[in-house]
Amino acid sequence: MHAQPIPPPLTDRPATERQERPHRPTTGRDLTASVTLALTAVPLSLGIALAAGAPPRAGLVAAAAGGLIGGCLGRARLRAGGAAVGLVAVTAELVQRFGWRAACAVTVLAGLAQVALGAARVGRVMPAAGPVVARGVLAGIGVTVALGRLPAVLGAPASAGLGSFLPELTRPRLPALAAAACVLAVLAVWPRLPGRAGRAARVVPAPLAAVALATAVSAGAEVPRLPFPAWEVAPFPLLPSGPFLAVCAAVLTMTLVAGMEALTPPAGARPTGEPDRELIGHGAATVVSGLLGGLPVTAGRTPGAADAAPAGRKSVILYGMWVLPCAALCSWALEFVPVAALAALVLAAGVRMAVPRERERMRGRRERPVLLTALGSVALFGVLPGTAAAIVVAALLSVRRLGGTRITVSTTREGHHRVVVHGQLTFLSVPRLRRALAGVPHGTRAVVELGGSFMDHTAYDALRTWSDAHRAHGGRVTVDGRSGGPVAEPADGHPCRPWTPWRNHHCVGPRAATGEAPGGRQLLGGVSAFQRDTAPLVREELARLAREGQRPGQLFLTCADSRLVTSMITSSGPGDLFTVRNVGNLMPPPGDDAACDSVAAAVEYAVEVLKVSTITVCGHSGCGAMQALLETAAPAGTPAAPQTPLARWLRHGRPSLARMQRIGRLGRGEVALAERPVADDIERLALVNVVQQLDHLMAHSCVARRVAEGTLHLQGMYFHVAEAQAYLLDQRSRTFTAVRPGVLDAV
């Protein structure tokens, strides 16, 4: 009987990350992407500044700080930092209440708070604490931003608020409305332009093309245009003079929204692997931006940027360098841009925030009430009250789902007793479960149907105890899962436990027929168990992966030993790892006469096509290949063993053996374990082999180039099977340190 929690949703990196073509020069690709990002960010940054009631240069300063500071300290790809769309309403309220200099001071304090949260490692908790709440809050902010820009879209002054929407609706200015309509139309059509002409047109970012067309359409018309004053030194931020609690609330609101926008990935994207570093990077960028008179900085996707060129870390930094020069060189042209066009850009960005693409998935997880509560509360009452309301609703729904389990008992025509559990079986529902099971007479046939997908240990123990007692009184018990198949048959007495659902128990396979080899049908039984228990839970995710293709983040090179279960020791799922397994986790160096191209081909494919960010070489204890290498180290003059395929392959491990022998002779360069002495020569050779194979990896040009660019990281790992303990290599000290629960500093 297994507890079967719903597996967490598997995400992967944005599809645009795998569109980088390996044959293009990296410098040219980064330069192209950076220019595209800069040209895209200039009009949107100006529109955000106008929407927030800030000087136009404030948006440009934020974009420059986000690219330079956030790009250097952050690690998320395709998320160039810049002026935060989600903070438009918060910043506008601060400017109206305290003034621009005080708003800059609040921006600095919020940036410092983000840096402190990142240093305290709060970032890695935030994405898991409530992604639905975060997306709902951002959606509510998007509604507020979109509605707030409607007056400017209709031709009202840039500082006009939502209160002027109804009067402007009765007397819209047609030239301004036409300019805004041009922007919205281009943003909608530009990514869908067909054929070669469409691909050529998309070299120009959609926002830039939209603003250019809107400027041309409104030429000569009397519409409000961008006030672009001369550059001047920004005044130093001044602390607000209002109540202390109001200032703290403003800082908390800005920090909360900026953190959610930076750490909540777009729909279908893999969450950033280093959220704390992202918080620190964008917090530092916000501090610099506030000190220089800029808006708050956060990471986000600029409409049209990702469609034109892939963004890596270098291109994001270069983008920060180009923003201000682009704006300075084009200042004469920016003065002709209609305010309505920039307002339409911000309105489109708000709509994108307000309409999450994963709404169908949210509905499937019964999280729609939380999403709608957050959206409506934030739009009506503000960020902090809306966030609190969404958290309360999420907590109430969780308690209701866990405690609202219904249990019914009925009798079938055959006289069997049927106990049906609707919902999750947790400790909250154990009293009801026991009362229901107590009504089943002794000595009868009972069928327990579990309609939920989770059962905690308390409920499991209660059900198992009753099953044993009922069986002891001559009864029979069958426990069926959600798919209708039997979860367990306690009368068999097999040692399954809910914390070992991965183990290939003999109980999942059919019994061998007479004369059949033991375990001959075990594989078929395991596949049958997968189809019954696991396939219904993962079918939707695997269908998505089949449609979109594989986009793993890591290449895992390890041994073919059956005791090494990569998905178990890395807690990974479908689409996460690109795994290469061979005897001895060997990586033949290039140019070796006995080289096997299959391993090198897999590495090249992972590095150049899949664009993995990490390669891990993992050895293990009790490795038969290492033992064979030690046994082949015969004294000189011993007749050579026959060159079987295995012997030819193990020749790639001889450099590891020579390295270990050289370490023994010279007494330096020892590879060690931090927590204990190395057990024997087999373990010592396995550790040395990991280091040697990392050197072989660096000999491949594609790997060396990506490592030099800073886009690929190599790491060594050792897994001790008997200890169930993974060790990570510190390449400087050549020491393997045990990975402890909750400790990620070594990764």
Side-chain angles (χ1 to χ4, degrees):
M1 181 160 27
H2 297 179
Q4 299 174 358
I6 297 177
L10 303 176
T11 55
D12 41 35
R13 295 177 299 174
T16 47
E17 285 193 29
R18 61 187 174 100
Q19 294 172 355
E20 297 182 66
R21 299 181 179 179
H23 64 271
R24 293 179 57 188
T26 304
T27 303
R29 184 174 66 245
D30 289 335
L31 184 61
T32 301
S34 66
V35 173
T36 301
L37 288 172
L39 293 176
T40 305
V42 167
L44 186 62
S45 298
L46 294 173
I48 292 174
L50 291 180
R57 66 174 180 273
L60 301 175
V61 170
L68 290 172
I69 309 300
C72 291
L73 298 180
R75 291 294 295 273
R77 296 161 57 88
L78 276 169
R79 291 171 65 77
V85 178
L87 288 169
V88 166
V90 178
T91 308
E93 183 179 354
L94 287 175
V95 173
Q96 293 176 2
R97 185 172 183 180
F98 299 113
W100 172 239
R101 294 179 65 185
C104 290
V106 172
T107 299
V108 173
L109 294 175
L112 292 174
Q114 281 185 263
V115 173
L117 291 175
R121 301 176 185 173
V122 177
R124 68 190 62 185
V125 180
M126 289 180 65
V132 184
V133 174
R135 289 191 173 95
V137 170
L138 294 178
I141 293 172
V143 171
T144 305
V145 170
L147 292 176
R149 289 294 80 205
L150 280 177
V153 165
L154 297 174
S159 58
L162 187 58
S164 63
F165 169 59
L166 292 179
E168 291 298 331
L169 186 61
T170 60
R171 47 184 175 82
R173 294 168 175 82
L174 293 182
L177 188 58
C182 287
V183 170
L184 297 177
V186 171
L187 290 179
V189 173
W190 205 255
R192 299 176 175 84
L193 291 176
R196 184 176 301 176
R199 290 192 296 270
R202 282 193 292 271
V203 173
V204 180
L208 184 61
V211 171
L213 180 60
T215 303
V217 168
S218 63
E222 292 294 332
V223 294
R225 299 191 182 274
L226 176 64
F228 199 79
W231 288 94
E232 59 184 13
V233 178
F236 197 77
L238 182 66
L239 287 175
S241 57
F244 177 74
L245 290 180
V247 176
C248 292
V251 174
L252 176 61
T253 303
M254 188 173 289
T255 304
L256 181 65
V257 176
M260 286 191 294
E261 196 168 359
L263 297 181
T264 302
R270 182 188 298 273
T272 173
E274 299 184 53
D276 296 318
R277 186 164 180 170
E278 289 303 310
L279 271 183
I280 294 174
H282 290 96
T286 298
V287 172
V288 174
S289 178
L291 291 175
L292 298 178
L295 292 171
V297 175
T298 189
R301 283 173 174 265
T302 306
D307 300 328
R313 189 177 180 186
K314 290 182 180 178
S315 57
V316 171
I317 297 174
L318 290 173
Y319 138 80
M321 297 173 58
W322 303 144
V323 170
L324 295 180
C326 285
L329 292 174
C330 301
S331 58
W332 61 273
L334 293 175
E335 296 177 356
F336 296 98
V337 175
V339 171
L342 300 178
L345 274 182
V346 180
L347 184 146
V351 170
R352 287 167 64 93
M353 293 178 60
V355 185
R357 295 181 181 178
E358 67 274 20
R359 58 186 180 277
E360 294 300 327
R361 186 181 300 177
M362 296 294 180
R363 185 182 307 166
R365 295 182 197 161
R366 302 178 184 178
E367 293 170 340
R368 196 179 182 188
V370 179
L371 183 68
L372 295 178
T373 300
L375 190 155
S377 301
V378 170
L380 293 176
F381 307 112
V383 175
L384 291 182
T387 304
I391 292 175
V392 170
V393 171
L396 291 177
L397 286 177
S398 299
V399 172
R400 179 177 177 273
R401 290 169 189 164
L402 293 177
T405 303
R406 292 186 298 109
I407 304 175
T408 60
V409 182
S410 60
T411 305
T412 65
R413 294 179 179 179
E414 295 80 8
H416 301 163
H417 290 266
R418 184 167 172 259
V419 181
V420 182
V421 179
H422 304 274
Q424 319 304 326
L425 267 181
T426 66
F427 66 95
L428 297 174
S429 54
V430 166
R432 275 170 286 173
L433 177 65
R434 286 175 174 166
R435 286 196 299 269
L437 295 176
V440 179
H442 294 313
T444 60
R445 173 71 182 269
V447 178
V448 181
E449 296 184 5
L450 304 180
S453 58
F454 178 82
M455 175 168 52
D456 67 8
H457 287 190
T458 303
Y460 170 81
D461 289 339
L463 185 57
R464 183 62 182 271
T465 300
W466 174 84
S467 300
D468 293 341
H470 191 74
R471 190 178 68 253
H473 287 83
R476 298 183 62 189
V477 179
T478 300
V479 182
D480 291 344
R482 184 171 55 180
S483 59
V487 174
E489 189 68 48
D492 291 343
H494 62 75
C496 294
R497 294 294 182 267
W499 52 87
T500 59
W502 55 268
R503 188 174 177 184
N504 190 20
H505 294 294
H506 291 287
C507 61
V508 302
R511 300 181 185 277
T514 304
E516 186 178 354
R521 303 179 65 191
Q522 183 66 29
L523 181 63
L524 179 60
V527 174
S528 176
F530 165 80
Q531 296 298 147
R532 180 187 67 235
D533 301 327
T534 308
L537 304 178
V538 301
R539 184 171 287 116
E540 180 181 356
E541 179 64 24
L542 291 178
R544 184 184 63 80
L545 290 173
R547 291 192 307 268
E548 300 177 0
Q550 62 169 331
R551 293 186 296 276
Q554 300 187 46
L555 166 62
F556 201 80
L557 173 60
T558 189
C559 186
D561 194 296
S562 62
R563 298 167 295 180
L564 211 63
V565 184
T566 57
S567 59
M568 180 184 68
I569 66 176
T570 61
S571 300
S572 57
D576 289 342
L577 295 182
F578 187 77
T579 306
V580 177
R581 305 187 68 154
N582 60 54
V583 176
N585 49 276
L586 302 178
M587 177 69 240
D592 193 330
D593 293 338
C596 176
D597 287 338
S598 65
V599 182
V603 171
E604 180 182 354
Y605 183 77
V607 172
E608 298 284 25
V609 180
L610 299 179
K611 299 296 180 182
V612 297
S613 59
T614 305
I615 299 180
T616 302
V617 178
C618 180
H620 69 97
S621 62
C623 181
M626 300 300 104
Q627 183 175 357
L629 280 172
L630 289 172
E631 292 174 353
T632 58
T638 303
Q643 287 299 299
T644 64
L646 177 60
R648 287 195 297 270
W649 170 253
L650 289 178
R651 284 192 292 176
H652 300 305
R654 290 180 182 176
S656 302
L657 182 61
R659 185 173 192 154
M660 187 183 77
Q661 294 171 343
R662 185 168 60 254
I663 291 172
R665 291 195 308 270
L666 301 179
R668 61 175 182 270
E670 177 68 26
V671 178
L673 294 167
E675 282 76 8
R676 60 173 177 81
V678 178
D680 50 31
D681 284 344
I682 296 179
E683 184 171 63
R684 180 173 288 103
L685 182 55
L687 300 175
V688 171
N689 184 59
V690 170
V691 179
Q692 184 66 36
Q693 302 314 314
L694 290 173
D695 291 346
H696 287 177
L697 270 171
M698 283 297 296
H700 289 263
S701 58
C702 60
V703 176
R705 174 177 56 79
R706 288 279 309 279
V707 171
E709 292 170 1
T711 59
L712 181 64
H713 174 65
L714 306 185
Q715 62 185 13
M717 183 181 293
Y718 175 73
F719 185 75
H720 196 283
V721 177
E723 298 175 356
Q725 177 64 59
Y727 296 83
L728 204 62
L729 171 65
D730 181 351
Q731 297 195 42
R732 292 186 178 180
S733 63
R734 297 184 180 181
T735 301
F736 287 81
T737 304
V739 179
R740 300 303 181 189
V743 179
L744 300 178
D745 293 340
V747 179

